[in-house]
Amino acid sequence: MHDIAIVGGGLCGLALLRLLSGSGLDVVLFEARARLGGRVLSVPARGGHPGGDLGPGWYWPDTQPLLNGLITELGLRTFAQHDQGISLYVGGPDQPPASLGERPVHDGARRIDGGMGRIIEGLAHALPPARLQTGCRLHRLRDHGDHVELGFTDTAFGRTVRARHVVLALPPRLIDETLAFEPALPAELRAAMRDTPTWMAAQAKLLAACEQPVWRVFGCSGNAFVRHAQAVVGEVFDACDAAGTRAALGGFVTPPAALRRQIDLPAAVIGEFAKLFGPTLRCTDFALQDWAAESLTCSRRDREQAESVHPGDAPLLRLPYWGGRLLFGGSETAARHAGYLEGALLAAARLAGELGRLAMTGNAAQAAPAAEREATLERLRACLQAPIADWRAGLLAEYRRQLHVVLSGPHGGAAITQRALLGTVGTLYAAALDALVVSEAQVQGVAIERGRSALTPPLLACFEGCNDALIATALEFNRGSCALSNFPQEHRPSAETLHAIRLDLAAAWREFALTLNARLLPRSVA
């Protein structure tokens, strides 16, 4: 019997296996595909083709610290996404491209030389081959009280595998549509799975190698947006290699999955590129990945959606089930960056902490004595210390980032400070909830009065002074901000505005407190 079985060899599953590799636990990862990586898929360079990513291709070092740290740790070479030059826009099938100016589109994004697949290669290379089993498709799970039985189509261990804990690092909708559970999972959990979209699951992405990057010669960035009913590629970007010597364009296919099979996509895309960048553009090679055709990525519900929908926060997917023997992972389960590679790493970190605690407690469900409850409180306080300290240290930078988001979005001139403050405090609450992993065993025997856990007040006390520090930092910045020069009312908000801000922050605090308290209640009470 294994201690832990991880199902899903995408970034979350591999990162989790890596985090657990030194724990002394018997951990095995099972992947249904013949390859690892999940939605991370890179094509190698060949001939004049620079290679590149047919799945996620960009990362943002300033806002994705876990991913940036992993890339640095693996020693991977990166380069900035080419954004210099004019971006184009086409609003109708008979309209010529119009200029959107030279404003960068990708907001400081970087790419990995050789593609995001280098991350997967780096993680897999450092792991024992016996811990990585590919070609193993799971179809059922059965809880036996002290372990879980996994039924596969076939594995190197046979068709049935037993493990004390199972992590399903898979898109929630695929879990709901393809796996059988005995006993059945709670109805509210199944609903949460169905309501959590798989990011980019029904999309198709392409790369077209070109003889020369003629768009750069013409002063264009390679960025283009084609927004009409007959468009084949809705978004185009420069996909050249780091040196710019191997030219390529990338793009996202516009027609829905059901119509793609009826179109000669290479010919249609090449024609659309020529309309954007002129007849001298010559495409020499073509790579396409239609994720909607991937049964191990795209669920039926994802295919039926008219457009990609970003997954929202689904706290039920971060809870352990079957007495801590069944847990859910994958990027869509993260409280922040859900759907992105950063979200996959956040989910892996959460799971590693949860599994470590479950292994130490042995899934004990008996009521804890007073000394053990105090130790639990200290462990939970320790979970919160890092996100609170990080937030305080980066408070000004986060507030400025939120201001940029507000000013760049729709209705940018309305309640600027108010919305930026809510966004800033929201990052703290999301980080805290992501870090606060609570097992069922930890909350058994803890006193509950009128629906409130005895652990809730001391943990909420860790946040004392955060709102005051936030408001003081924001107001001091506003007074000298060039970004707010056109909004003098934001430099020194009126008493009425400050009162409204405090009410909004109080409402956000109340929602956070209720969510945190729900995490601290035994499952039977919650």
Side-chain angles (χ1 to χ4, degrees), residues 300-316:
R300 174 185 56 80
R301 290 176 67 90
D302 289 315
R303 276 191 296 273
E304 290 174 351
Q305 285 185 176
E307 58 185 23
S308 287
V309 178
H310 207 280
D313 186 16
L316 287 176

Side-chain angles (χ1 to χ4, degrees), residues 230-517:
Q230 298 177 30
V232 179
V233 186
E235 180 180 338
V236 183
F237 55 88
D238 183 300
C240 298
D241 63 357
T245 55
R246 288 181 170 179
L249 288 168
F252 297 95
V253 176
T254 301
L259 298 179
R260 291 174 200 152
R261 294 186 295 271
Q262 305 172 25
I263 302 172
D264 182 355
L265 279 175
V269 168
I270 290 169
E272 197 153 278
F273 284 172
K275 290 180 182 178
L276 286 168
F277 303 114
T280 59
L281 179 68
R282 295 284 186 271
C283 297
T284 59
D285 200 356
F286 194 83
L288 171 72
Q289 174 65 18
D290 189 342
W291 290 102
E294 287 266 353
S295 63
L296 297 173
T297 294
C298 188
S299 70
R300 174 185 56 80
R301 290 176 67 90
D302 289 315
R303 276 191 296 273
E304 290 174 351
Q305 285 185 176
E307 58 185 23
S308 287
V309 178
H310 207 280
D313 186 16
L316 287 176
L317 298 177
R318 293 192 292 276
L319 296 177
Y321 294 87
W322 288 355
R325 290 177 293 281
L326 177 64
L327 301 98
F328 297 91
S331 180
E332 277 72 22
T333 68
R336 294 176 293 136
H337 301 283
Y340 291 97
L341 297 180
E342 183 77 0
L345 295 178
L346 285 166
R350 166 181 61 81
L351 289 163
E354 175 78 348
L355 288 163
R357 281 185 280 276
L358 288 171
M360 286 189 294
T361 61
N363 296 325
Q366 67 274 16
E372 187 172 333
R373 288 200 297 272
E374 187 60 31
T376 293
L377 179 59
E378 288 307 309
R379 284 196 294 271
L380 296 177
R381 280 198 185 106
C383 288
L384 297 175
Q385 286 173 356
I388 292 174
D390 289 347
W391 184 82
R392 285 183 175 273
L395 181 53
L396 178 57
E398 176 61 18
Y399 175 67
R400 293 178 65 179
R401 189 181 75 83
Q402 292 292 338
L403 276 178
H404 175 73
V405 171
V406 171
L407 291 169
S408 301
H411 314 298
I416 296 172
T417 300
Q418 199 163 346
R419 288 189 288 153
L421 286 171
L422 285 172
T424 305
V425 81
T427 61
L428 169 61
Y429 296 157
L433 291 172
D434 213 32
L436 189 70
V437 179
V438 186
S439 70
E440 184 78 3
Q442 288 177 317
V443 296
Q444 289 294 337
V446 175
I448 301 171
E449 184 178 353
R450 299 177 67 180
R452 187 177 72 175
S453 168
L455 296 171
T456 300
L459 291 180
L460 290 177
C462 298
F463 297 84
E464 186 175 350
C466 286
N467 276 359
D468 290 338
L470 171 58
I471 292 173
T473 298
L475 294 182
E476 182 179 353
F477 174 78
N478 284 7
R479 293 184 189 108
S481 171
C482 294
L484 297 175
S485 57
N486 293 326
F487 307 97
Q489 71 277 13
E490 304 293 339
H491 292 179
R492 296 181 182 276
S494 66
E496 292 79 5
T497 299
L498 285 175
H499 180 64
I501 286 173
R502 291 188 181 278
L503 287 177
D504 273 357
L505 291 177
W509 167 254
R510 181 176 182 276
E511 182 179 351
F512 167 67
L514 290 171
T515 305
L516 181 141
N517 183 68

Side-chain angles (χ1 to χ4, degrees), residues 72-161:
T72 301
E73 188 178 343
L74 294 175
L76 302 179
R77 181 171 174 258
T78 71
F79 61 99
Q81 167 65 30
H82 181 78
D83 252 354
Q84 295 76 39
I86 296 169
S87 297
L88 301 177
Y89 176 84
V90 179
D94 300 321
Q95 294 180 7
S99 171
L100 290 175
E102 297 191 14
R103 181 178 178 180
V105 169
H106 295 96
D107 198 24
R110 297 188 69 81
R111 292 164 53 197
I112 295 176
D113 194 8
M116 289 288 183
R118 292 290 175 87
I119 299 177
I120 304 302
E121 294 170 4
L123 290 174
H125 180 74
L127 295 168
R131 300 293 180 192
L132 299 169
Q133 298 294 319
T134 56
C136 307
R137 186 158 187 168
L138 180 69
H139 61 87
R140 65 169 176 81
L141 298 100
R142 180 180 294 133
D143 182 26
H144 287 272
D146 62 345
H147 72 276
V148 176
E149 180 184 284
L150 299 90
F152 291 92
T153 52
D154 199 9
T155 72
F157 304 100
R159 296 197 173 188
T160 301
V161 174

Side-chain angles (χ1 to χ4, degrees), residues 165-183:
H165 304 281
V166 175
V167 175
L168 298 179
L170 304 169
R173 282 183 171 174
L174 281 185
I175 295 173
D176 178 65
E177 291 184 8
T178 64
L179 301 184
F181 294 85
E182 301 176 30

